[in-house]
Coordinates of all heavy atoms in Angstrom, one line a residue:
L20 N 24.7 42.3 87.7 CA 24.7 41.0 88.2 C 26.0 40.6 88.9 O 27.1 41.3 88.7 CB 24.7 40.2 87.0 CG 23.2 40.1 86.1 CD1 23.3 39.3 84.9 CD2 22.2 39.6 87.0
S21 N 26.1 39.7 89.6 CA 27.3 39.2 90.4 C 28.3 38.8 89.4 O 28.1 38.3 88.3 CB 27.0 38.1 91.3 OG 26.7 36.9 90.7
P22 N 29.5 38.9 89.8 CA 30.6 38.4 88.8 C 30.4 36.9 88.4 O 30.7 36.6 87.3 CB 31.9 38.6 89.6 CG 31.6 39.8 90.6 CD 30.2 39.5 90.8
N23 N 30.0 36.0 89.4 CA 29.8 34.7 89.0 C 28.7 34.5 87.9 O 28.8 33.6 87.0 CB 29.4 33.9 90.3 CG 30.6 33.7 91.2 OD1 31.7 33.8 90.7 ND2 30.4 33.3 92.4
L24 N 27.6 35.3 88.1 CA 26.5 35.1 87.1 C 27.0 35.7 85.7 O 26.8 35.0 84.8 CB 25.4 36.0 87.4 CG 24.4 35.2 88.4 CD1 23.2 36.2 88.8 CD2 23.7 34.0 87.7
K25 N 27.8 36.7 85.7 CA 28.2 37.3 84.4 C 29.2 36.3 83.8 O 29.2 36.1 82.6 CB 29.0 38.7 84.7 CG 28.0 39.8 84.9 CD 28.6 41.2 85.0 CE 29.3 41.5 86.2 NZ 29.7 42.9 86.3
S26 N 30.1 35.6 84.5 CA 31.0 34.6 84.2 C 30.2 33.5 83.6 O 30.6 33.0 82.5 CB 31.9 34.2 85.2 OG 32.9 33.3 84.8
S27 N 29.2 33.0 84.2 CA 28.4 31.9 83.7 C 27.7 32.3 82.4 O 27.6 31.4 81.6 CB 27.3 31.5 84.8 OG 27.9 31.0 86.0
I28 N 27.2 33.3 82.3 CA 26.5 33.8 81.0 C 27.4 33.9 80.0 O 27.3 33.4 78.9 CB 25.8 35.2 81.4 CG1 24.7 35.1 82.2 CG2 25.4 35.8 79.9 CD1 24.1 36.4 82.7
T29 N 28.7 34.3 80.3 CA 29.8 34.5 79.2 C 30.1 33.1 78.7 O 30.2 32.8 77.5 CB 31.0 35.2 79.7 OG1 30.7 36.5 80.0 CG2 32.1 35.1 78.7
R30 N 30.2 32.2 79.6 CA 30.7 30.8 79.3 C 29.5 30.2 78.5 O 29.8 29.4 77.6 CB 30.9 29.9 80.5 CG 32.3 29.9 81.0 CD 32.7 28.8 82.0 NE 31.6 28.7 83.2 CZ 31.6 29.5 84.3 NH1 32.5 30.5 84.2 NH2 30.8 29.4 85.2
S31 N 28.3 30.4 78.8 CA 27.1 29.8 78.1 C 27.1 30.3 76.6 O 26.8 29.5 75.7 CB 25.8 29.9 78.8 OG 25.3 31.3 79.0
I32 N 27.4 31.6 76.5 CA 27.3 32.2 75.3 C 28.5 31.5 74.4 O 28.3 31.1 73.2 CB 27.5 33.7 75.3 CG1 26.2 34.4 76.0 CG2 27.7 34.4 73.8 CD1 26.4 35.9 76.3
T33 N 29.6 31.6 75.0 CA 30.8 31.0 74.3 C 30.8 29.5 73.9 O 30.8 29.2 72.8 CB 32.1 31.1 75.2 OG1 32.3 32.5 75.5 CG2 33.3 30.5 74.4
Q34 N 30.2 28.7 74.8 CA 29.9 27.3 74.5 C 28.9 27.1 73.4 O 29.0 26.3 72.4 CB 29.7 26.5 75.8 CG 30.8 26.3 76.7 CD 30.2 25.9 78.1 OE1 29.1 25.8 78.4 NE2 31.2 25.5 78.9
T35 N 27.9 27.8 73.6 CA 26.7 27.6 72.6 C 27.1 28.1 71.2 O 26.8 27.5 70.2 CB 25.5 28.4 73.0 OG1 25.1 28.0 74.4 CG2 24.3 28.1 72.2
F36 N 28.0 29.3 71.2 CA 28.3 29.8 69.8 C 29.2 28.7 69.2 O 29.2 28.4 68.0 CB 29.0 31.1 70.0 CG 29.5 31.7 68.7 CD1 28.6 32.2 67.8 CD2 30.9 31.7 68.2 CE1 29.1 32.8 66.5 CE2 31.3 32.2 67.2 CZ 30.4 32.6 66.2
E37 N 30.3 28.1 69.9 CA 31.2 27.3 69.4 C 30.5 26.0 69.0 O 30.8 25.5 67.9 CB 32.3 27.0 70.5 CG 33.2 28.1 70.6 CD 34.3 27.9 71.6 OE1 34.1 27.0 72.4 OE2 35.3 28.7 71.7
Q38 N 29.5 25.5 69.7 CA 28.7 24.3 69.3 C 28.0 24.6 68.1 O 27.9 23.8 67.0 CB 27.8 23.9 70.5 CG 27.1 22.6 70.1 CD 28.0 21.5 69.8 OE1 28.9 21.1 70.6 NE2 27.9 20.7 68.7
Y39 N 27.2 25.8 68.0 CA 26.5 26.2 66.8 C 27.4 26.2 65.7 O 27.0 25.6 64.6 CB 25.7 27.4 67.1 CG 25.0 27.9 65.8 CD1 23.7 27.5 65.4 CD2 25.6 29.0 65.2 CE1 23.2 27.9 64.2 CE2 25.0 29.5 63.9 CZ 23.9 29.0 63.5 OH 23.3 29.4 62.5
M40 N 28.5 26.8 65.7 CA 29.4 27.0 64.6 C 29.9 25.5 64.1 O 30.0 25.3 63.0 CB 30.6 27.9 64.9 CG 30.1 29.3 65.1 SD 29.2 30.0 63.7 CE 30.5 30.1 62.4
S41 N 30.2 24.7 65.2 CA 30.5 23.3 64.7 C 29.4 22.7 64.0 O 29.7 21.8 63.1 CB 31.0 22.6 66.1 OG 31.3 21.2 65.7
D42 N 28.2 22.7 64.4 CA 27.0 22.2 63.9 C 26.8 22.6 62.5 O 26.4 21.8 61.7 CB 25.8 22.4 64.7 CG 25.8 21.8 66.0 OD1 26.5 20.9 66.3 OD2 24.9 22.2 66.8
I43 N 27.2 23.9 62.1 CA 27.0 24.3 60.8 C 28.3 24.2 60.0 O 28.5 24.8 59.1 CB 26.4 25.7 60.8 CG1 27.3 26.8 61.4 CG2 25.0 25.8 61.3 CD1 27.0 28.3 61.1
E44 N 29.3 23.7 60.6 CA 30.6 23.3 60.0 C 31.3 24.7 59.8 O 32.0 24.8 58.6 CB 30.5 22.5 58.7 CG 30.0 21.2 59.0 CD 29.4 20.3 57.7 OE1 29.1 21.0 56.7 OE2 29.7 19.1 57.9
W45 N 31.2 25.7 60.5 CA 31.8 27.0 60.4 C 31.6 27.6 59.1 O 32.4 28.3 58.5 CB 33.3 26.9 60.7 CG 33.5 26.9 62.3 CD1 33.4 25.8 63.1 CD2 33.7 27.9 63.2 NE1 33.7 26.2 64.4 CE2 34.0 27.5 64.4 CE3 34.0 29.4 62.8 CZ2 34.2 28.4 65.5 CZ3 34.2 30.2 63.9 CH2 34.3 29.8 65.3
S46 N 30.4 27.3 58.4 CA 30.0 27.9 57.1 C 29.3 29.1 57.3 O 28.3 29.3 57.9 CB 29.1 26.9 56.6 OG 28.4 27.4 55.4
E47 N 29.9 30.3 56.7 CA 29.3 31.6 56.8 C 28.0 31.6 56.1 O 27.0 32.3 56.5 CB 30.2 32.5 56.1 CG 31.5 32.9 56.9 CD 32.3 33.9 56.1 OE1 31.8 34.8 55.6 OE2 33.6 33.7 56.3
E48 N 27.9 30.7 55.0 CA 26.6 30.7 54.4 C 25.4 30.2 55.2 O 24.3 30.5 55.1 CB 26.6 30.0 53.2 CG 27.6 30.6 52.1 CD 29.0 30.3 52.2 OE1 29.5 29.3 52.9 OE2 29.8 31.2 51.9
K49 N 25.7 29.1 56.0 CA 24.7 28.5 56.7 C 24.5 29.4 58.2 O 23.5 29.2 58.9 CB 25.1 27.1 57.3 CG 25.3 26.3 56.1 CD 25.8 24.9 56.7 CE 26.0 23.9 55.5 NZ 26.4 22.6 56.0
F50 N 25.3 30.4 58.5 CA 25.2 31.0 59.8 C 23.9 31.9 59.9 O 23.6 32.7 58.8 CB 26.3 32.0 60.1 CG 26.2 32.7 61.4 CD1 26.5 32.1 62.5 CD2 25.7 34.1 61.3 CE1 26.4 32.9 63.7 CE2 25.5 34.8 62.5 CZ 25.9 34.2 63.8
S51 N 23.2 31.9 60.9 CA 22.0 32.7 61.0 C 22.0 33.1 62.6 O 21.9 32.3 63.5 CB 20.8 31.9 60.8 OG 19.6 32.5 61.3
I52 N 22.1 34.5 62.8 CA 22.0 34.8 64.2 C 20.8 34.4 64.8 O 20.8 34.2 66.1 CB 22.3 36.5 64.3 CG1 22.5 36.9 65.7 CG2 21.2 37.2 63.7 CD1 23.8 36.5 66.3
N53 N 19.7 34.5 64.1 CA 18.4 33.9 64.8 C 18.4 32.6 65.2 O 18.0 32.2 66.2 CB 17.3 34.2 63.8 CG 16.9 35.7 63.7 OD1 17.2 36.6 64.5 ND2 16.5 36.0 62.3
D54 N 19.2 31.7 64.4 CA 19.3 30.2 64.7 C 20.1 30.2 65.9 O 19.9 29.4 66.9 CB 19.9 29.5 63.5 CG 18.8 29.3 62.4 OD1 17.7 29.5 62.7 OD2 19.3 28.9 61.4
F55 N 21.3 30.9 66.0 CA 22.2 30.8 67.1 C 21.6 31.3 68.4 O 21.5 30.6 69.4 CB 23.4 31.8 66.9 CG 24.2 32.0 68.2 CD1 24.8 31.0 68.8 CD2 24.1 33.3 68.8 CE1 25.4 31.3 70.1 CE2 24.8 33.6 69.9 CZ 25.5 32.6 70.5
I56 N 20.7 32.5 68.4 CA 20.0 32.9 69.5 C 19.0 31.8 70.0 O 18.8 31.7 71.2 CB 19.3 34.3 69.2 CG1 20.4 35.3 69.0 CG2 18.4 34.7 70.3 CD1 21.2 35.6 70.1
A57 N 18.2 31.2 69.0 CA 17.3 30.2 69.3 C 18.0 29.0 70.1 O 17.6 28.5 71.1 CB 16.6 29.6 68.1
N58 N 19.2 28.7 69.6 CA 20.0 27.6 70.4 C 20.5 28.0 71.5 O 20.3 27.3 72.7 CB 21.3 27.3 69.6 CG 21.0 26.4 68.4 OD1 19.8 26.0 68.0 ND2 22.0 26.2 67.6
W59 N 20.9 29.2 71.7 CA 21.2 29.8 73.1 C 20.1 29.8 74.1 O 20.3 29.4 75.3 CB 22.0 31.2 73.0 CG 22.5 31.6 74.2 CD1 23.6 31.1 74.9 CD2 22.2 32.7 75.1 NE1 24.0 31.8 76.0 CE2 23.1 32.8 76.1 CE3 21.1 33.6 74.9 CZ2 22.8 33.8 77.1 CZ3 21.0 34.6 76.0 CH2 21.9 34.7 76.9
R60 N 19.0 30.3 73.7 CA 17.8 30.4 74.3 C 17.4 29.0 74.9 O 17.0 28.8 76.2 CB 16.7 31.0 73.7 CG 15.4 31.3 74.5 CD 14.3 31.9 73.8 NE 14.7 33.3 73.6 CZ 14.7 33.9 72.4 NH1 14.3 33.3 71.3 NH2 15.2 35.2 72.2
E61 N 17.5 28.0 74.0 CA 17.1 26.6 74.5 C 18.1 26.0 75.5 O 17.7 25.5 76.5 CB 17.1 25.7 73.3 CG 16.8 24.3 73.7 CD 16.9 23.3 72.5 OE1 16.8 23.7 71.3 OE2 17.0 22.1 72.8
Y62 N 19.4 26.4 75.4 CA 20.5 26.0 76.2 C 20.1 26.7 77.6 O 20.3 26.0 78.7 CB 21.8 26.2 75.8 CG 22.9 26.1 76.8 CD1 23.4 24.8 76.9 CD2 23.3 27.1 77.6 CE1 24.4 24.6 77.9 CE2 24.3 27.0 78.7 CZ 24.8 25.7 78.7 OH 25.7 25.4 79.6
I63 N 20.0 27.9 77.7 CA 19.9 28.5 79.0 C 18.5 28.2 79.7 O 18.5 28.2 80.9 CB 20.0 30.1 78.9 CG1 18.9 30.8 78.2 CG2 21.3 30.6 78.3 CD1 18.7 32.4 78.2
T64 N 17.6 27.9 79.0 CA 16.2 27.5 79.7 C 16.2 26.0 80.1 O 15.4 25.6 80.8 CB 15.0 27.9 78.8 OG1 15.2 27.2 77.6 CG2 14.9 29.3 78.7
T65 N 17.1 25.2 79.3 CA 17.0 23.8 79.8 C 18.2 23.3 80.5 O 18.1 22.3 81.2 CB 16.9 22.9 78.5 OG1 17.9 23.1 77.5 CG2 15.6 23.2 77.8
K66 N 19.4 24.0 80.4 CA 20.6 23.4 80.9 C 21.5 24.3 81.8 O 22.1 23.8 82.6 CB 21.6 22.9 79.8 CG 21.0 21.8 78.9 CD 22.0 21.5 77.9 CE 21.2 20.5 77.0 NZ 22.0 20.4 75.7
A67 N 21.2 25.7 81.7 CA 22.2 26.6 82.4 C 21.5 26.7 83.8 O 20.3 27.3 84.1 CB 22.0 27.8 81.6
L68 N 22.3 26.5 84.8 CA 21.9 26.6 86.2 C 21.7 28.1 86.6 O 20.9 28.5 87.5 CB 22.9 26.0 87.2 CG 23.1 24.5 86.9 CD1 24.2 23.9 87.7 CD2 21.9 23.7 87.1
W69 N 22.5 29.1 85.9 CA 22.5 30.4 86.3 C 21.0 30.9 86.0 O 20.6 32.0 86.6 CB 23.6 31.1 85.8 CG 23.5 31.2 84.2 CD1 24.4 30.4 83.5 CD2 22.9 32.0 83.3 NE1 24.1 30.5 82.1 CE2 23.2 31.6 82.0 CE3 21.9 33.0 83.5 CZ2 22.6 32.2 80.9 CZ3 21.3 33.5 82.4 CH2 21.8 33.3 81.1

Side-chain angles (χ1 to χ4, degrees):
L20 296 173
S21 73
N23 286 342
L24 272 176
K25 288 190 273 191
S26 178
S27 293
I28 291 169
T29 297
R30 270 193 312 278
S31 70
I32 294 167
T33 301
Q34 291 170 345
T35 306
F36 181 74
E37 290 174 347
Q38 182 60 54
Y39 171 74
M40 292 305 292
S41 180
D42 290 347
I43 64 167
E44 301 172 328
W45 280 84
S46 169
E47 289 180 39
E48 293 81 28
K49 294 178 184 177
F50 180 80
S51 163
I52 191 67
N53 293 330
D54 289 346
F55 163 68
I56 295 298
N58 284 1
W59 187 66
R60 185 174 293 128
E61 180 182 340
Y62 174 82
I63 65 172
T64 57
T65 61
K66 297 178 184 165
L68 301 176
W69 60 263

